């Protein structure tokens, strides 16, 4: 058997059918696999490992499915192998569901925040107890035990309304009465007076102001610092995954605890995995202070996983090589792990994987395009495409149909709970794809922050592919570039309405860069235009119509929503 590469379909001891079957066995979620699997399938792209392991307390940003959990799990395993002490906390699994006590609106923030802090410290305390019984902290067992006595001192308090009452009271009493008797001996009389009076005077003073919260830790912090310093491990890692699973109003309190208890200990490094627009790091107080941490001064954004596979690079070669190489390595590592678990022969390398699994280069490039920079989606689309391929290598058409199916059964279905978000998506599809024949549009950062837009981004239906977009034709104006998910418009790619250019018809000069990014051969002759490649996507000065077509009239779109209350 020969494929479009001109090579034998059977290379070594691995066959195409083996890889197609192995695609169905790939786990899409890291928390379901073994520690060995995590390390074996991790792809270190662009120095990710070095950034993960630096000493700063930092944040790993990324959308769902971009590999935040995989990165933290990889860090956990590699640092533990180097002798470090690692505490890994999954907010949604280890601290309970967000539908529980933490997000119960009938319970005050004071009680919920206190419970959260105690629960987190309880997990850390249990790990220290395990270390003590294993012998690493035997000398500190008493201090670890005493920590339990101070859990009751960990509390969030508030101060808002003060009421004072003062008063005086006086009491006077007396009685008056008359009675008489008549008998054989004579007549008798009796008089009695009785009266009662009570007087009360009081003064009520009420002071009302903004509620001010305080977080108290008692002696717990000093004990924790002593125990951590006594541990023989060279580093102490605290890894917190799914930070954005916490209610926004509680996040600053947990950040405050991390800052006050851990940030001052030299050997401790904190890593937090979070979704950018679903985080709240700091809560300002009326007195000018704050609860939480200051990002950029106390906690640093060390990684944005989207940058490695989403945002355009300086030129075609850099971006194409980066994205394609990343997914080659991703697929090869995952397939080899499945083959190893099944006792089957493994792939010799990435090139063999590509030759066996895909009909031609464009099929792999189409998968990269369909994934929209989300590794989890790439694995899901590849497995669906393998089902459509049967026993043959995966083609471009298989990828397109699989991507459309994944969109309809997963992403689109998530919008049923929010009719307005669904309506907004329909408006965007109509205005951008159907009318402008485009696959991307511009929005101001303020419009991108709208809750409905953020939900579409969070569900990976809209993708931010560039920030801070500017043009000399609109001095001072800044835009974010958003692209509609591949699955939304894939059905149009083979019709007369196909969105061939990023910003629509008549704007080749500003669109060819993204065409090159996605591997479209029709843009190859434009490579000679080196000036257009300098700054990525730039709307040309002599084509104002392209800007007008690309900018989405977001206020008008909101007015077209049913039940609009904006």
């Amino acid at each position: 058997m020969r494929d479009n590469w001109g090579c034998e379909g059977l290379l070594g001891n691995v066959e195409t059918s083996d890889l197609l079957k192995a695609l169905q066995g790939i786990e899409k979620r890291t928390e379901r696999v073994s520690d060995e699997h995590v390390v074996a399938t991790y792809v270190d792209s662009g120095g990710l490992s070095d950034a993960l392991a630096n000493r700063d307390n930092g944040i790993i940003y990324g959308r769902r499915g971009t590999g935040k959990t995989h990165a933290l799990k990889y860090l956990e395993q590699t640092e533990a192998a180097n002798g470090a002490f690692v505490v890994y906390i999954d907010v949604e699994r280890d601290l309970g569901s967000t539908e529980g006590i933490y997000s119960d609106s009938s319970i005050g923030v004071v009680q919920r925040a206190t419970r959260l802090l105690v629960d987190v410290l309880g997990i850390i305390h249990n790990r220290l107890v395990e270390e003590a019984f294993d012998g690493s902290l035997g000398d500190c067992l008493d201090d670890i035990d005493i920590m339990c006595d101070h859990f009751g001192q960990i509390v969030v308090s508030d101060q808002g309304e003060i009421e004072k009452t003062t008063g005086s009271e006086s009491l006077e009493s007396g009685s008056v009465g008359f009675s008489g008797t008549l008998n054989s001996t004579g007549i008798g009389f009796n008089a009695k007076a009785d009266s009662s009076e009570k007087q009360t005077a009081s003064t009520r003073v009420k002071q009302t102001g903004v509620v001010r919260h305080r977080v108290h830790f008692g002696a717990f912090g000093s004990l924790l610092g002593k125990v951590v310093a006594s541990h023989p491990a060279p580093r102490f890692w605290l890894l917190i995954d799914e930070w954005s699973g916490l209610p926004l109003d509680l996040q600053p309190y947990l950040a405050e605890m991390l800052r006050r208890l851990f940030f001052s200990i030299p050997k401790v490094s904190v890593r937090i995995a979070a979704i950018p627009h679903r985080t709240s790091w700091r809560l300002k107080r009326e007195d000018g202070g704050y609860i939480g941490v200051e990002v950029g001064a106390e906690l640093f954004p060390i990684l944005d996983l989207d940058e490695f596979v989403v945002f355009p690079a300086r030129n075609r070669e850099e971006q194409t090589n980066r994205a394609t190489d990343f997914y080659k390595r991703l697929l090869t590592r995952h397939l080899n792990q499945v083959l190893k678990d099944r006792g089957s022969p493994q792939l010799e390398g990435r090139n063999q994987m590509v030759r066996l699994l895909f009909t031609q280069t464009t099929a792999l490039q189409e998968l990269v395009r369909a994934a929209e920079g989300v590794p989890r989606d790439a694995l899901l689309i590849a497995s669906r495409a393998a089902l459509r391929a049967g026993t043959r290598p995966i083609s471009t058409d298989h990828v397109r149909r699989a991507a459309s199916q994944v969109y309809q059964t997963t992403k689109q279905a998530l919008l049923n709970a929010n009719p307005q978000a669904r309506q907004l998506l329909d408006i965007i599809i109509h205005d951008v794809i159907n009318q402008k024949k485009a696959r991307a549009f511009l929005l101001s950062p303020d419009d991108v922050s709208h809750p409905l837009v953020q939900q579409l981004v969070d569900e990976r239906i809209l993708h931010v592919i560039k920030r801070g977009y500017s043009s000399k034709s609109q001095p001072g104006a800044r835009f974010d570039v958003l692209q509609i998910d591949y699955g939304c418009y894939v059905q149009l790619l083979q019709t007369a309405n196909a969105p061939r250019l990023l910003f629509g018809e008549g704007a080749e000069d500003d669109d060819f860069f993204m065409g090159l990014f996605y591997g479209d051969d029709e843009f190859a002759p434009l490579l000679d235009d080196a000036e257009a490649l300098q700054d990525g996507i730039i709307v040309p000065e002599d084509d104002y119509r392209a800007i007008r077509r690309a900018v989405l009239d977001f206020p008008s779109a909101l007015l077209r929503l049913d039940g609009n209350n904006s």
Side-chain angles (χ1 to χ4, degrees):
M1 170 184 173
R2 286 182 174 270
D3 55 26
N4 290 358
W5 294 85
C7 301
E8 294 295 328
L10 178 63
L11 298 178
N13 295 320
V14 184
E15 297 184 4
T16 296
S17 59
D18 296 329
L19 300 183
L20 294 172
K21 293 176 182 178
L23 279 174
Q24 310 309 316
I26 295 177
E27 284 285 357
K28 312 304 186 296
R29 299 195 64 89
T30 303
E31 58 266 27
R32 292 174 51 88
V33 300
S34 65
D35 297 338
E36 178 188 1
H37 189 114
V38 168
V39 176
T41 57
Y42 181 75
V43 178
D44 183 15
S45 176
L48 283 174
S49 297
D50 294 335
L52 281 173
N54 72 45
R55 301 191 67 88
D56 291 329
N57 298 306
I59 312 166
I60 301 173
Y61 281 126
R63 295 168 296 161
R64 287 187 176 126
T66 52
K68 299 184 300 296
T69 296
H70 203 153
L72 282 187
K73 284 287 189 180
Y74 175 81
L75 180 63
E76 177 190 21
Q77 296 306 312
T78 54
E79 287 298 315
N82 292 331
F85 176 64
V86 185
V87 177
Y88 178 91
I89 299 176
D90 185 320
V91 167
E92 295 189 341
R93 290 195 308 163
D94 300 331
L95 296 179
S97 170
T98 56
E99 287 77 25
I101 185 174
Y102 303 138
S103 60
D104 190 342
S105 59
S106 65
I107 302 175
V109 67
V110 170
Q111 182 179 347
R112 291 186 290 124
T114 300
R115 175 63 179 271
L116 171 63
L117 302 184
V118 172
D119 287 349
V120 172
L121 289 179
I123 294 174
I124 297 172
H125 179 264
N126 289 339
R127 286 285 288 111
L128 292 173
V129 171
E130 293 173 1
E131 286 289 298
F133 281 107
D134 288 343
S136 299
L137 286 172
D139 296 338
C140 297
L141 189 57
D142 291 340
D143 291 329
I144 296 174
D145 185 53
I146 295 174
M147 285 183 184
C148 292
D149 299 333
H150 294 283
F151 273 10
Q153 299 178 15
I154 301 169
V155 63
V156 177
S157 65
D158 61 359
Q159 178 182 355
E161 182 176 284
I162 303 175
E163 181 177 305
K164 296 180 179 180
T165 302
T166 60
S168 62
E169 182 178 286
S170 63
L171 178 65
E172 297 180 359
S173 62
S175 64
V176 177
F178 179 84
S179 65
T181 59
L182 175 64
N183 52 38
S184 58
T185 59
I187 300 176
F189 295 92
N190 182 39
K192 183 180 180 181
D194 190 7
S195 66
S196 177
E197 182 179 357
K198 182 178 181 180
Q199 296 180 344
T200 302
S202 64
T203 302
R204 182 169 178 261
V205 179
K206 183 177 180 181
Q207 297 176 342
T208 303
V210 178
V211 175
R212 298 180 179 180
H213 295 97
R214 297 289 188 273
V215 184
H216 305 277
F217 293 103
F220 190 92
S222 59
L223 288 171
L224 179 65
K226 179 180 178 181
V227 171
V228 171
S230 301
H231 198 289
R235 297 278 302 271
F236 183 105
W237 286 93
L238 178 57
L239 312 180
I240 302 180
D241 197 8
E242 304 292 351
W243 175 275
S244 300
L246 288 171
L248 286 173
D249 60 343
L250 297 190
Q251 292 180 19
Y253 295 97
L254 181 54
E256 170 81 2
M257 185 195 77
L258 298 176
R259 176 174 66 88
R260 292 177 57 181
L261 294 185
F262 295 98
F263 285 12
S264 60
I265 304 176
K267 70 189 298 183
V268 173
S269 293
V270 178
R271 285 288 179 276
I272 300 173
I275 300 173
H277 63 274
R278 295 181 58 189
T279 58
S280 177
W281 300 109
R282 191 170 65 167
L283 175 67
K284 290 186 178 181
R285 296 202 308 247
E286 187 71 12
D287 58 5
Y290 63 87
I291 290 176
V293 298
E294 185 176 351
V295 176
E298 299 164 322
L299 186 67
F300 303 93
I302 61 172
L303 275 178
D304 187 337
L305 295 180
D306 288 326
E307 292 181 355
F308 291 91
V309 285
V310 176
F311 297 142
R314 293 171 297 180
N315 53 58
R316 176 197 181 191
E317 183 179 3
E318 179 181 345
Q319 182 59 54
T320 301
N321 290 342
R322 176 192 295 175
T324 304
D325 183 68
F326 175 85
Y327 283 103
K328 281 182 181 180
R329 296 168 67 185
L330 180 77
L331 287 170
T332 302
R333 287 177 178 269
H334 278 277
L335 287 170
N336 270 345
Q337 187 61 35
V338 174
L339 294 171
K340 178 182 177 181
D341 292 342
R342 295 178 176 179
S344 302
Q346 298 177 45
L347 291 163
E348 298 175 358
R350 288 166 280 176
N351 292 335
Q352 184 187 18
M353 182 276 298
V354 175
R355 288 193 295 267
L356 285 173
L357 192 57
F358 297 97
T359 57
Q360 51 192 355
T361 305
T362 53
L364 172 61
Q365 291 173 341
E366 197 74 6
L367 177 62
V368 174
R369 181 183 184 186
E372 301 281 14
V374 182
R376 186 186 300 162
D377 287 350
L379 296 176
L380 182 57
I381 293 171
S383 65
R384 295 289 181 89
L387 289 176
R388 292 180 174 275
T391 59
R392 300 169 297 167
I394 296 172
S395 68
T396 298
D397 185 63
H398 295 145
V399 172
R400 288 177 176 172
R401 293 178 181 274
S404 178
Q405 182 185 26
V406 168
Y407 169 76
Q408 293 173 2
T409 58
T410 58
K411 302 177 183 181
Q412 189 178 49
L414 294 173
L415 295 182
N416 292 335
N418 191 335
Q420 284 203 331
R422 178 62 180 271
Q423 290 177 38
L424 178 59
L425 176 63
D426 291 340
I427 291 172
I428 293 173
I429 291 175
H430 177 268
D431 292 357
V432 175
I433 293 183
N434 295 342
Q435 291 192 348
K436 301 174 183 177
K437 304 297 186 293
R439 58 191 178 198
F441 57 96
L442 306 181
L443 275 184
S444 71
D446 290 340
D447 291 338
V448 174
S449 300
H450 191 281
L452 293 179
V453 177
Q454 287 299 328
Q455 180 177 356
L456 294 175
V457 173
D458 191 31
E459 303 297 351
R460 308 184 311 284
I461 295 173
L462 294 181
H463 306 275
V464 180
I465 60 175
K466 187 174 179 64
R467 299 188 187 275
Y469 180 96
S470 63
S471 169
K472 294 180 181 179
S473 298
Q474 290 189 353
R478 298 290 178 182
F479 300 96
D480 289 348
V481 182
L482 285 81
Q483 179 165 278
I484 299 173
D485 184 71
Y486 179 94
C488 274
Y489 62 76
V490 67
Q491 68 271 18
L492 299 176
L493 292 177
Q494 296 177 334
T495 70
N497 293 323
R500 300 303 301 166
L501 300 175
L502 184 69
F503 292 124
E505 295 174 347
E508 288 87 350
D509 288 343
D510 66 325
D511 291 328
F512 85 97
F513 182 82
M514 289 305 297
L516 295 175
F517 164 51
Y518 286 120
D520 288 356
D521 293 335
E522 66 177 288
F523 294 98
L526 298 172
L527 275 175
D528 294 333
D529 191 349
E531 182 179 352
L533 281 171
Q534 268 186 341
D535 300 315
I537 305 175
I538 300 177
V539 178
E541 296 182 64
D542 58 351
D543 192 359
Y544 184 80
R545 293 172 302 168
I547 299 177
R548 185 172 65 249
R549 285 193 300 271
V551 178
L552 180 70
D553 188 352
F554 190 69
S556 174
L558 289 180
L559 292 175
R560 291 151 64 186
L561 298 177
D562 294 338
N564 175 60
N565 56 3
S566 59

